[in-house]
DNA sequence: GCCGTTTTCGGCCCGACTGTTTTCAGTCG
């Protein structure tokens, strides 16, 4: 069974092969865009093709970036398991060369030279010949370049995957605060995918405005975490750093304060969003770059004394282009420039936590400690939701223990002021969709969060049926971390998400955005489609220890990326409204 | 390759930095 990601990977590889064969760069861009669009789709392409390959071509070609040609190639790939063009390219380009191209600093020109002139066809080949005189004889291949390639290979092997948001963000906050202490710094923020709240981060981007550029540059390139300085230019520096077990690249861009907004916009990206904005500017006979929005189409207007139409803040640039301000989380070229962006949910909108664990199962806090923690966050309601009996490793509760636990929760609720404590459970959705407690027990609970924990390698059809049963169950309020994926570690279930969303609307069951940064499940693009059909959403931290309640920000960022408004999130509702909704399922 | 409020051809974002260059190519984001 071919997944959307599999198909996207084929298109990405075609683009890489064409780069190595020095094809037209716009054609390469075209294939790259198809790959990106495919990754973002929630419709199961293979399923679409299975139903009717003719209409699948038409449907696929309706997505921006996918034309008739690519649509037909997708159908060919899904129906035959192969794509002629892809196979032809693979016959021309050695497979190992893609890894060489993946080394930072090695682009298509260098990789092609190594291949054609020296017969290097894999990363192993390259590593074996790093010190050979033939390599040094290639054009533009001096001692420094070779040294940089060595370090880049080392970095790539050590750094591995993109860094999860929850690892990168605390590091970035710490570095940001440290850099803000440098004398003369007027503004300093992080930008890039971190500011956009992506679930994984490629590198850390910082933007500074300051009186004394040399001071901030010096501090940045000599931070104790820095292991290598890659660039140290007038306005841009680049380093590799190791901290807290993470290996990352970080960039610092320094600009005058009066163009800070334009630079922040440019540095926040995404690249594709920036390209769209610049195209809009061109249509208006203007030019947009990191120094501002300028009248006319002259190159580098900032060098010729031109005054920008807008530059100091991001919003003024969107407005000058005739657009609404787009929050960073939405800047992904997914249609955010058409029409008015919604008013996105914020951290302070959250008023309840509906998924949290205590020492009764695998949490570290007692009921009282958990409730105090929730109170400190200003919540009006906390649901205590320990694991059910099948989650043996997590100390899941037998029916007897659960009944006693419910009593203890009720007592704590009676004892404590300032917060409503609800008796709940995180009930396993068993592999066949059955729940881990029977209905009589479930009916005694104020809140039922039903979540999949085991058999997460199920095929999509079985997984769909499994989750549908839970969504349709009249006593279930929320389906927790619906796919069970763990970022960079486990794919999780791949059900027909659209079928889940429709059922969730029909049965008034909320779907969770689990805010734990290892999960972020629902993920952003799933959630975007859930909102299109009108699902109710819960954002929960799944807290096991006090500090994990601060994971909420990752759930909020993910939700904002999907365009979630406060009203659609049950955790934002006032107590009476929330309690009434929970009660409607009893 | 894709696309269209200059639409079926002719465009397709823009700038910084490094290294190896005598004036710029390659890479990156």
């Amino acid at each position: 069974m071919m997944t959307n990601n599999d198909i996207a990977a084929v298109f990405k590889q075609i683009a890489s092969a064409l780069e190595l064969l020095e094809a037209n760069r716009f054609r390469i861009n075209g294939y790259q865009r198809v790959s990106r669009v495919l990754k973002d789709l929630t419709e199961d392409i293979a399923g679409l093709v299975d139903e009717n390959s003719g209409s699948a071509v038409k449907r696929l070609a309706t997505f921006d970036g996918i034309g008739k040609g690519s649509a037909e190639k997708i159908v060919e790939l899904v129906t035959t398991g192969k794509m002629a063009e892809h196979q032809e390219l693979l016959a021309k380009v050695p497979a190992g060369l893609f890894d060489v191209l993946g080394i930072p600093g090695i682009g298509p020109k260098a990789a092609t030279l190594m291949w054609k002139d020296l017969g290097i066809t894999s990363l192993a080949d390259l590593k074996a010949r790093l010190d050979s005189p033939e390599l040094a004889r290639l054009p533009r291949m001096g001692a420094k370049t070779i040294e940089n390639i060595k370090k880049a290979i080392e970095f790539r092997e050590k750094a591995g995957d993109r860094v999860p948001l929850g690892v990168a963000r605390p590091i970035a906050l710490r570095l940001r605060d440290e850099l803000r202490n440098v004398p003369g710094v007027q503004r300093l923020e992080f930008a890039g995918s971190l500011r956009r709240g992506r679930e994984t981060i490629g590198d850390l981007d910082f933007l500074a405005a300051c009186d004394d550029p040399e001071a901030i540059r010096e501090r940045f390139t000599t931070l104790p975490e820095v292991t290598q300085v890659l660039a140290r230019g007038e306005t841009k520096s680049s380093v590799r750093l190791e901290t807290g077990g993470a290996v990352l690249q970080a960039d610092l861009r320094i600009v005058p304060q009066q163009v800070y907004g334009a630079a922040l916009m440019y540095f926040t990206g995404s690249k594709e969003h920036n390209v769209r904005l610049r195209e809009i500017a061109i249509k208006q006979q203007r030019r947009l770059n990191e120094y501002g929005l300028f009248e006319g189409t002259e190159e580098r207007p900032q060098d010729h004394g031109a005054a920008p139409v807008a530059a100091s803040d991001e919003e003024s640039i969107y407005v000058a282009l005739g657009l609404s301000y787009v929050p960073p989380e939405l800047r992904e070229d997914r249609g955010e420039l058409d029409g008015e962006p919604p008013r996105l949910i914020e951290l302070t909108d959250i008023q309840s936590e509906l998924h949290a664990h205590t020492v009764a199962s695998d949490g570290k806090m007692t009921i009282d400690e958990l409730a105090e923690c929730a109170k400190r966050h200003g919540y009006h309601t906390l649901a205590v939701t320990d694991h059910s009996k099948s989650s043996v490793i997590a100390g899941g509760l037998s029916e007897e223990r659960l009944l006693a636990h419910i009593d203890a929760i009720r007592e704590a609720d009676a004892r404590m002021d300032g917060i409503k404590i609800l008796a709940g459970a995180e009930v396993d959705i068993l592999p066949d969709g059955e729940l881990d407690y029977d209905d009589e027990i479930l009916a005694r609970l104020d809140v039922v969060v039903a979540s999949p924990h085991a058999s997460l390698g199920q095929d999509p059809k079985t997984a769909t049926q499994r989750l549908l049963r839970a969504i349709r169950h009249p006593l279930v309020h929320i389906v927790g971390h619906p796919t069970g994926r763990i970022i960079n570690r486990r794919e999780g279930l791949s059900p027909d998400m659209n079928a889940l969303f429709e059922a969730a609307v029909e049965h008034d069951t909320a779907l969770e955005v689990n805010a734990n940064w290892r999960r972020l499940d629902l993920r952003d693009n799933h959630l975007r489609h859930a909102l299109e059909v009108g699902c109710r959403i819960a954002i929960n931290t799944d807290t096991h220890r006090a500090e994990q309640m601060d994971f909420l920000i990752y759930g909020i960022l993910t939700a904002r990326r999907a365009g979630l408004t406060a009203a659609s999130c049950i955790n934002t509702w006032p107590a009476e409204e929330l309690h009434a909704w929970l009660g409607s399922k009893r």
Side-chain angles (χ1 to χ4, degrees):
Chain A
M1 192 66 173
M2 199 163 284
T3 68
N4 292 7
N5 278 343
D6 295 335
I7 303 168
V10 169
F11 277 88
K12 187 156 181 244
Q13 200 168 52
I14 290 175
S16 297
L18 288 172
E19 276 193 303
L20 292 164
L21 295 168
E22 297 176 300
N24 176 286
R25 128 183 120 78
F26 298 110
R27 194 172 155 226
I28 295 167
N29 283 349
Y31 279 115
Q32 283 171 341
R33 185 156 177 220
V34 170
S35 177
R36 185 170 62 86
V37 171
L38 290 177
K39 259 203 228 165
D40 278 347
L41 292 184
T42 42
E43 280 179 71
D44 179 39
I45 298 169
L48 208 66
V49 174
D50 273 351
E51 268 174 41
N52 181 332
S53 59
S55 68
V57 170
K58 285 206 187 82
R59 171 81 181 131
L60 286 166
T62 62
F63 295 107
D64 255 6
I66 301 180
K68 190 159 175 280
S70 289
E72 283 170 352
K73 284 171 196 163
I74 292 166
V75 172
E76 178 195 353
L77 179 63
V78 172
T79 47
T80 68
K82 282 183 180 175
M83 186 198 304
E85 181 172 12
H86 182 226
Q87 296 295 317
E88 281 162 27
L89 288 169
L90 286 185
K92 284 184 193 161
V93 179
L97 214 53
F98 298 118
D99 297 332
V100 176
L101 193 58
I103 297 299
I106 299 183
K109 301 280 184 195
T112 304
L113 268 176
M114 291 175 189
W115 168 35
K116 296 256 164 100
D117 285 17
L118 301 182
I120 288 173
T121 58
S122 71
L123 200 48
D125 282 356
L126 172 59
K127 280 165 80 172
R129 301 183 68 174
L130 279 171
D131 294 314
S132 71
E134 312 91 76
L135 185 66
R137 275 200 290 272
L138 290 180
R140 312 191 55 79
M141 193 60 68
K144 279 190 178 175
T145 300
I146 290 174
E147 190 54 33
N148 285 340
I149 290 173
K150 285 182 185 173
K151 285 180 177 162
I153 292 173
E154 214 175 289
F155 175 76
R156 171 47 46 91
E157 289 176 346
K158 200 188 267 186
D161 297 316
R162 287 169 62 93
V163 178
L165 178 62
V167 173
R169 198 166 183 277
I171 295 170
L173 289 171
R174 186 165 52 73
L175 294 178
R176 181 196 69 183
D177 293 345
E178 202 167 322
L179 293 170
R180 277 180 177 171
N181 283 332
V182 175
V185 169
Q186 292 146 340
R187 297 190 67 175
L188 196 144
E189 282 155 290
F190 57 73
S193 53
L194 195 58
R195 182 165 180 243
R196 302 200 310 279
R198 274 192 61 173
E199 64 188 35
T200 59
I201 304 302
D203 54 19
L204 308 180
D205 300 309
F206 294 97
L207 180 68
C210 64
D211 291 334
D212 183 0
E214 180 48 36
I216 183 78
R217 184 161 50 234
E218 175 64 19
R219 180 63 160 274
F220 179 68
T221 52
T222 59
L223 286 166
E225 296 89 346
V226 168
T227 55
Q228 189 191 354
V229 178
L230 294 168
R232 199 178 193 286
E234 195 61 28
T235 69
K236 189 181 150 191
S237 298
S238 203
V239 301
R240 292 198 174 117
L241 44 85
E242 284 188 46
T243 176
V247 181
L248 278 163
Q249 181 172 323
D251 300 329
L252 171 70
R253 189 79 190 253
I254 306 166
V255 298
Q257 194 166 16
Q258 59 269 25
V259 303
Y260 193 85
L264 185 60
M265 200 162 167
Y266 150 75
F267 220 26
T268 297
S270 66
K271 187 179 168 215
E272 291 78 10
H273 178 84
N274 287 345
V275 170
R276 279 271 177 270
L277 289 175
R278 288 169 181 191
E279 285 170 353
I280 289 169
I282 289 169
K283 284 200 187 108
Q284 299 175 2
Q285 302 291 312
R286 293 155 136 182
R287 193 176 182 93
L288 177 62
N289 60 30
E290 57 261 54
Y291 298 100
L293 175 66
F294 298 88
E295 293 294 351
T297 52
E298 179 194 23
E299 279 185 23
R300 304 187 63 87
Q302 68 276 11
D303 292 348
H304 306 111
V309 179
S312 63
D313 66 286
E314 291 184 319
E315 184 154 13
S316 68
I317 298 170
Y318 284 104
V319 169
L321 287 168
L323 302 165
S324 303
Y325 174 74
V326 179
E329 296 89 345
L330 294 178
R331 300 181 194 169
E332 298 287 351
D333 185 25
R334 291 170 176 157
E336 67 274 11
L337 294 174
D338 313 328
E340 180 105 3
R343 188 176 165 78
L344 300 179
I345 190 167
E346 293 178 18
L347 201 56
T348 50
D349 290 326
I350 299 293
Q351 299 189 50
S352 58
E353 170 63 63
L354 300 174
H355 182 173
H357 298 268
T358 71
V359 289
S361 60
D362 59 348
K364 297 295 177 208
M365 289 182 282
T366 63
I367 298 169
D368 288 47
E369 287 164 347
L370 181 60
E372 289 295 346
C373 185
K375 270 173 76 171
R376 282 198 299 278
H377 280 76
Y379 300 153
H380 60 62
T381 298
L382 163 74
V384 178
T385 58
D386 279 298
H387 286 285
S388 62
K389 61 188 179 193
S390 289
S391 283
V392 177
I393 297 170
L397 277 59
S398 66
E399 281 83 355
E400 293 74 17
R401 286 188 62 209
L402 176 63
L403 292 176
H405 194 42
I406 292 173
D407 289 341
I409 294 166
R410 304 257 182 254
E411 281 167 25
D413 182 45
R415 194 165 58 239
M416 289 187 71
D417 290 330
I419 190 159
K420 180 70 188 170
I421 311 173
L422 300 175
E426 184 184 17
V427 183
D428 267 42
I429 305 172
L430 302 175
D432 63 355
E434 187 91 7
L435 295 186
D436 203 16
Y437 294 128
D438 64 31
D439 289 1
E440 195 247 328
I441 296 276
L442 294 177
R444 296 180 185 224
L445 295 164
D446 305 320
V447 181
V448 172
V449 179
S451 315
H453 286 108
S455 296
L456 297 173
Q458 275 177 331
D459 68 272
K461 275 187 181 143
T462 312
T464 305
Q465 292 312 312
R466 174 188 190 179
L467 292 166
L468 279 177
R469 273 189 77 183
I471 290 170
R472 290 170 179 155
H473 195 295
L475 296 170
V476 169
H477 295 97
I478 300 169
V479 170
H481 50 73
T483 75
R485 68 100 173 241
I486 303 288
I487 290 173
N488 286 350
R489 298 282 294 279
R490 182 170 78 201
E491 282 283 322
L493 301 170
S494 307
D496 177 349
M497 298 306 293
N498 290 344
L500 304 190
F501 301 153
E502 280 163 25
V505 171
E506 187 189 339
H507 296 273
D508 199 17
T509 302
L511 300 178
E512 179 181 81
V513 174
N514 191 291
N516 187 307
W517 53 264
R518 291 183 178 85
R519 293 190 181 273
L520 296 178
D521 178 16
L522 299 172
R523 68 198 72 178
D524 52 11
N525 66 324
H526 286 163
L527 179 58
R528 202 166 70 249
H529 288 79
L531 298 178
E532 279 169 15
V533 288
C535 287
R536 291 193 203 284
I537 301 301
I539 303 179
N540 293 319
T541 63
D542 195 354
T543 288
H544 287 70
R545 49 181 76 225
E547 60 272 22
Q548 290 181 347
M549 222 173 254
D550 293 324
F551 285 172
L552 183 61
I553 181 64
Y554 307 121
I556 293 290
L557 287 168
T558 300
R560 288 171 62 87
R561 289 176 60 76
L564 183 67
T565 58
S568 299
C569 176
I570 64 175
N571 306 73
T572 70
W573 296 351
E576 315 78 66
E577 191 179 345
L578 174 66
H579 298 160
W581 180 73
L582 293 169
S584 74
K585 293 222 170 197
R586 285 293 168 274

